[in-house]
Amino acid sequence: MTPADQALFEAAERVRARAHVPYSKFAVGAAILADDGSIYAGCNVENAAYPQGSCAEAGAIAAMALAGERRIAEILVAGDGDALCTPCGGCRQRIREFADPSSAIHIAGPEGVRRTFTLAELLPESFGPDHLPV
Ligand code: THU
């Protein structure tokens, strides 16, 4: 792991401990490396009205946006369990708004990064801001 990836992993694990997951008990942490080298993290926050819960990636993206950053260079998602904690479909599209097809999406378990994908691998032929004539 590069020093930047190690910092992302540590940031994601730190906030994963703050996840509000009384229903699924599945805590997720996400950390974004922005283009300027700054890091923004988020955790999942569930709700008794289930669809109102939000994913860790959404929290990290909100933290990045409120800091004034708009470009995701890399993102790391950390979750427990044997299966890879890959972003849900909705979060792949959320990431797409701020990342390039070649941007790295690292998937980590508690022990470290398990696999790295590009955004294009997880969301091929995607629709994005460049499709709109604005
Ligand atoms: N979850 C995330 O926060 N990010 C992911 O990449 C996958 C799933 C959350 C949503 C819900 O709170 C819990 O994990 C179980 O689906």
Side-chain angles (χ1 to χ4, degrees), residues 42-83:
C43 59
N44 51 340
V45 180
E46 297 182 346
N47 193 285
Y50 287 6
Q52 302 307 323
S54 55
C55 287
E57 295 90 327
I61 288 170
M64 179 191 74
L66 68 86
E69 285 300 321
R70 287 291 184 272
R71 293 309 298 166
I72 295 174
E74 295 179 29
I75 182 167
L76 182 146
V77 182
D80 232 331
D82 293 337

Side-chain angles (χ1 to χ4, degrees), residues 3-105:
D5 293 347
Q6 182 65 31
L8 279 183
F9 175 65
E10 287 171 12
E13 278 295 278
R14 200 174 310 124
V15 298
R16 193 163 79 86
R18 302 253 171 88
H20 176 70
V21 289
Y23 309 108
S24 74
K25 317 275 191 217
F26 191 74
V28 182
I32 291 168
L33 179 68
D35 264 3
D36 72 345
S38 52
I39 288 178
Y40 303 95
C43 59
N44 51 340
V45 180
E46 297 182 346
N47 193 285
Y50 287 6
Q52 302 307 323
S54 55
C55 287
E57 295 90 327
I61 288 170
M64 179 191 74
L66 68 86
E69 285 300 321
R70 287 291 184 272
R71 293 309 298 166
I72 295 174
E74 295 179 29
I75 182 167
L76 182 146
V77 182
D80 232 331
D82 293 337
L84 290 178
C85 185
T86 45
C88 74
C91 283
R92 294 176 194 203
Q93 186 67 39
R94 288 190 179 93
I95 294 165
R96 169 69 171 88
E97 184 72 12
F98 303 105
D100 297 324
S102 61
S103 298
I105 300 180

